[in-house]
Structures are given as C-alpha cells and as structure tokens.
Amino acid sequence: MQLESVKTILGEVLSLGPAAQALTRESALLGSIPELDSMAVVQLLTALEEHYGITIEDDDISAHTFATVGSLADFISDKMAA
C-alpha cells in the first residue's frame, strides 16, 4: 500500500507540514483541503509520476481519484500494478 508515501507527497506539494501525517485513509481531499486547488492537482500529479515512475493520463483522473487519501493511494497502487 502506498498510503504513507502518498501522505508524504501530499504534505510536500501542499505545504501541509505536520498536518500531513495526521491524514488518514478516510481523509477527504477535494473540497476539504483548501491548498488542493487546480494548480496543486497538476503539481501533485507530476510529483506522483516522478516518485513512482508512472504515467498518469488525463483519462485516468476522476473526482473519485481525489475523493480521499485512500482513493488516491489505491489509484497509485493500481497504476503501478498495470
């Protein structure tokens, strides 16, 4: 599972500081974290691609992907398995 590394990347990209480690699998992302705006989504996707060595296509992205920290971690796991 990619949960801990996804939390770390979220914290770095969004400058969340120690609050990033307080995130749980159920923590809501879009609409709940003000720092996660459209520009931050692009930066986050780039950071995830670089960290995991994956390519994320525009068609891969949906609101469900960014619903929670867990759904984002699951998305990364699925991309890595493909």
Side-chain angles (χ1 to χ4, degrees):
M1 162 98 32
Q2 312 304 327
L3 187 62
E4 289 304 314
S5 59
V6 167
K7 285 170 41 176
T8 299
I9 294 168
L10 279 165
E12 291 171 0
V13 171
L14 302 178
S15 301
L16 297 177
Q21 290 309 309
L23 294 172
T24 67
R25 183 167 176 72
E26 293 77 29
S27 296
L29 292 177
L30 280 181
S32 296
I33 299 179
E35 295 86 354
L36 190 58
D37 60 15
S38 59
M39 288 302 296
V41 168
V42 172
Q43 292 174 322
L44 179 58
L45 291 174
T46 300
L48 292 168
E49 287 178 326
E50 290 174 2
H51 181 83
Y52 293 106
I54 59 174
T55 301
I56 301 172
E57 304 294 336
D58 290 344
D59 293 344
D60 294 337
I61 305 302
S62 69
H64 174 72
T65 304
F66 288 94
T68 65
V69 174
S71 64
L72 183 58
D74 291 345
F75 169 76
I76 295 301
S77 293
D78 292 346
K79 286 298 287 183
M80 291 179 65

